[in-house]
Amino acid sequence: MNDTGPSRTAMMAAAARAAHLIVDDAPHLFHDTVAETLLGERAAELLSYHRDSGDHPVLSGTRSQVSVRSHYTEDRLAAGDFEQYVILGAGLDTFAYRSPLAERVAVYEVDHPATQDWKRELLAAAGLGTATVAFAGVDFESDDLVAALTAQGFDLTRPALVSWLGVTMYLTEPAIAATLDTLSRLAPGSELVMEYALLPELYDEPGRVFAQFARLATAQQGEPMRSFFSPDSVTALLHRHGFTAAEHISQREAVDAVLWQRTDGLQPVDFCRMVRAHN
């Protein structure tokens, strides 16, 4: 987490979602039609990397990762009876600015205040409204998440889906545990979709190649990866903090199999997985 300004990983994730629709063939894994607009004057530069070198393992792997995790999580939101949607580490997530689902759920974006200030500037410059979004500024290493949410109108008596994507690998395990303790206080019927980085010995070959570049790149950008898990250790961590794991989901499993019948080089990468859990 960058405390002083824009998050480089948030920019790269948004660029990858936008680039997926430009450089990859149909069928697309996910349709983020707003990310390019939100990136504003940085869009051309960031998308040029994908246009010029889109088959590089870290670029194609990032497009796969960010597209698949958004697809899966927003499908869970659509399928469930949730009244509130909490996006932890929201970064440049665009759900509230493009999805019809945002009209029927209360949306809470949670992130470091510096990242949120930067996002608000981008939203204003792009002409994208924020009236239906509540922003809760939180440092996951030190702040009270529930207090920040309830201050923005979050109702602890109503079920919520919590999306925690692209975040835990940049946190210490105590910070992850503290956040899980907080989330365990949510209303019955709430659900968590959490992405986690695998232990290196669990990578498949595309995951090993992706990790070789991605871990170095994020460290050089001042956002090093800090936490790695096996599915069993995540299940145990969740259990210790009041959650039951319902399923672990690889990239290959997270979308319909037909979406992996591709004419381009995009492929699932077993570097990160998701877990769906309930309290």
Side-chain angles (χ1 to χ4, degrees):
M1 190 68 62
N2 187 337
D3 293 355
T4 59
S7 165
R8 183 71 178 173
T9 55
M11 281 194 291
M12 299 309 291
R17 294 194 308 270
H20 177 51
L21 299 178
I22 297 170
V23 305
D24 297 317
D25 299 338
H28 291 115
L29 303 171
F30 185 69
H31 293 80
D32 190 332
T33 56
V34 175
E36 182 176 3
T37 300
L38 182 58
L39 286 167
E41 62 184 20
R42 295 297 306 274
E45 173 200 350
L46 294 170
L47 292 176
S48 71
Y49 303 139
H50 292 271
R51 286 191 172 101
D52 297 341
S53 305
D55 58 350
H56 189 284
V58 76
L59 294 176
S60 63
T62 300
R63 294 198 305 277
S64 174
Q65 178 183 359
V66 300
S67 298
V68 164
R69 72 192 187 193
S70 294
H71 177 128
Y72 176 84
T73 306
E74 293 187 21
D75 272 5
R76 287 300 307 167
L77 182 65
D81 188 24
F82 303 106
E83 301 176 34
Q84 303 177 106
Y85 183 37
V86 178
I87 309 172
L88 298 183
L92 297 185
D93 187 274
T94 63
F95 168 82
Y97 317 102
R98 58 168 166 74
S99 175
L101 290 174
E103 298 175 4
R104 70 168 177 83
V105 297
V107 182
Y108 299 86
E109 293 195 8
V110 181
D111 214 326
H112 194 280
T115 298
Q116 291 190 327
D117 289 344
W118 164 59
K119 184 174 185 177
R120 287 175 186 266
E121 293 174 2
L122 292 177
L123 288 166
L128 298 169
T130 62
T132 61
V133 181
F135 291 90
V138 167
D139 183 334
F140 289 104
E141 296 284 351
S142 59
D143 293 341
D144 185 328
L145 174 59
V146 163
L149 283 170
T150 55
Q152 297 300 321
F154 183 80
D155 188 345
L156 283 171
T157 69
R158 297 162 58 201
L161 176 66
V162 180
S163 164
W164 203 9
L165 308 177
V167 178
T168 65
M169 58 286 297
Y170 302 109
L171 301 177
T172 62
E173 189 165 335
I176 298 169
T179 300
L180 290 174
D181 270 340
T182 296
L183 293 175
S184 69
R185 296 160 53 190
L186 301 185
S190 296
E191 196 167 275
L192 168 68
V193 177
M194 183 180 88
E195 184 181 28
Y196 60 94
L198 287 169
L199 291 169
E201 57 265 31
L202 298 178
Y203 300 157
D204 63 2
E205 182 57 20
R208 186 193 64 77
V209 174
F210 180 81
Q212 179 181 349
F213 294 99
R215 292 182 62 177
L216 177 61
T218 58
Q220 289 176 337
Q221 293 159 8
E223 299 176 47
M225 295 184 183
R226 294 172 172 161
S227 296
F228 304 87
F229 298 94
S230 69
D232 286 346
S233 65
V234 169
T235 295
L237 177 65
L238 288 164
H239 181 73
R240 289 196 299 272
H241 298 282
F243 282 89
T244 299
E247 62 175 344
H248 291 265
I249 312 102
S250 68
Q251 286 186 22
R252 182 173 295 280
E253 298 163 336
V255 299
D256 292 340
V258 69
L259 295 179
W260 293 121
Q261 298 174 13
R262 311 199 58 80
T263 56
D264 55 28
L266 207 65
Q267 63 179 332
V269 176
D270 211 13
F271 172 74
C272 289
R273 294 185 191 171
M274 291 177 286
V275 60
R276 180 172 62 86
H278 55 82
N279 58 0

